[in-house]
Amino acid sequence: ELNADGIVLKNRDVAFPEKKRLFKRTLARFIDYLLWSMAMVLILGGKTGDGVFYRSWQFYASFWVYAAVEAALVSVFKTTAGKAMLGIYVCAADGGGLRFSDSLKRSLTVFAGGTGCLLSYASLALPLYAVYGMLRRRPMFWDEIARDRVEVVPMTRLTKGVFALFVLFMLTGWAL
């Protein structure tokens, strides 16, 4: 079974065990935030990270910008770098692409409700609530707000290779 973009749906989200689905979605979000953080450290100054501490408000503010960047990526490509590496696609309920406005609502809700806007105490409690909801087999509230469908497809050799190179880079750092 294929969707409108030719993505194989036979092993989509609902067919995956909940714990594997939870792990993949959480890892994809972590990879996306990690890639964004690395880019912001390079842009805001200092490969050592020293410059970021002096401009910490800019680093924090960049995650509000990331919500719009993620929304644009999801509305155009149905995925982000982290999601693509793990075979995750975000589609409208009919299988087509999400409108930018729905994707932006989803991204902002994930940032606010899933990570607590990266504020200290909220960023500890809200992700636990999101994990609890997912383990209870409830749809994620940001998926309900955007009226989307998350598809998890098997990883291809290409995405497995990209993911392996990413992990290798993260383990070895700039020495690679």
Side-chain angles (χ1 to χ4, degrees):
E1 178 185 3
L2 299 175
N3 73 2
D5 292 329
I7 298 169
V8 178
L9 297 180
K10 70 177 184 182
N11 290 330
R12 67 176 176 238
D13 200 41
V14 294
F16 275 92
E18 290 298 312
K19 289 182 182 176
K20 186 173 183 179
R21 177 182 144 190
L22 169 65
F23 177 74
K24 277 190 153 191
R25 289 185 73 175
T26 304
L27 183 59
R29 172 72 44 191
F30 176 74
I31 290 170
D32 287 336
Y33 281 168
L34 184 61
L35 290 171
W36 183 260
S37 297
M38 290 166 57
M40 289 303 101
V41 165
L42 290 174
I43 290 169
L44 294 176
K47 290 182 183 177
T48 62
D50 294 335
V52 174
F53 292 114
Y54 297 111
R55 302 179 208 155
S56 60
W57 70 271
Q58 291 174 333
F59 184 73
Y60 173 75
S62 77
F63 280 92
W64 287 94
V65 174
Y66 174 75
V69 171
E70 179 188 34
L73 290 171
V74 167
S75 66
V76 173
F77 301 109
K78 297 184 181 180
T79 193
T80 60
K83 290 176 182 63
M85 277 190 237
L86 299 173
I88 299 172
Y89 296 88
V90 180
C91 307
D94 64 0
L98 275 179
R99 292 186 335 223
F100 178 76
S101 60
D102 289 335
S103 186
L104 185 60
K105 279 192 278 188
R106 180 183 191 280
S107 294
L108 289 173
T109 305
V110 170
F111 184 63
T115 65
C117 297
L118 302 178
L119 299 172
S120 56
Y121 295 113
S123 67
L124 294 173
L126 289 172
L128 292 175
Y129 174 74
V131 167
Y132 173 76
M134 189 174 271
L135 288 175
R136 302 268 311 175
R137 297 178 185 243
R138 295 183 196 143
M140 300 308 295
F141 53 92
W142 47 82
D143 293 331
E144 290 179 332
I145 286 172
R147 299 178 305 275
D148 68 11
R149 181 175 81 202
V150 176
E151 299 172 354
V152 179
V153 298
M155 293 171 67
T156 64
R157 286 186 180 150
L158 176 63
T159 57
K160 286 178 183 177
V162 170
F163 182 68
L165 287 173
F166 174 75
V167 170
L168 181 64
F169 174 75
M170 294 310 301
L171 293 174
T172 61
W174 297 108
L176 187 65

